[in-house]
Amino acid sequence: MNTRPTESEPLLTPAEVAAMFRVDPKTVTRWAKAGKLSSIRTLGGHRRYRESEVRQLLDGVPGSASPTEPILVFLRARTGDPRHHRGGRGRDREHATVRVG
């Protein structure tokens, strides 16, 4: 749904909305296409979203974190060439990273 914003209303890019919900920007675009979030098109055809509407939607999401909450990310990666991992070659590496805001 495309509507016109008021002149002073802050608008967000798909990437900014995605960061707030911790989803991919393509997911935000899908939400707009599905009518879950209204979008505004720029002259170049890019989508923008009203900050007030996004914040209302975010307030209704259970378990959504504020930007100051710590985020724990756990990664497991195998080093070396993946074509040569037969027989246990290569080494697993595990990393835990905590990022705040």
Side-chain angles (χ1 to χ4, degrees):
M1 169 161 52
N2 294 342
T3 55
R4 294 206 173 269
T6 61
E7 292 299 320
S8 63
E9 187 171 14
L11 299 176
L12 302 172
T13 66
E16 291 169 331
V17 176
M20 294 171 78
F21 284 94
R22 296 191 182 123
V23 298
D24 191 89
K26 290 287 185 186
T27 301
V28 177
T29 302
R30 281 189 221 104
W31 291 345
K33 287 180 180 178
K36 296 178 182 180
L37 185 62
S38 61
S39 66
I40 296 155
R41 294 289 185 134
T42 66
L43 292 176
H46 300 281
R47 292 182 191 269
R48 295 294 180 265
Y49 304 93
R50 285 187 187 85
E51 184 179 21
S52 59
E53 183 180 353
V54 170
R55 293 217 179 267
Q56 282 180 333
L57 189 59
L58 187 62
D59 288 343
V61 175
S64 62
S66 70
T68 58
E69 283 188 43
I71 301 167
L72 177 64
V73 178
F74 182 79
L75 304 172
R76 185 174 187 166
R78 184 170 277 264
T79 60
D81 189 341
R83 295 173 293 187
H84 298 104
H85 284 275
R86 294 187 185 101
R89 293 186 202 130
R91 293 174 30 191
D92 285 340
R93 302 216 183 242
E94 295 179 353
H95 301 277
T97 304
V98 176
R99 185 185 87 213
V100 178

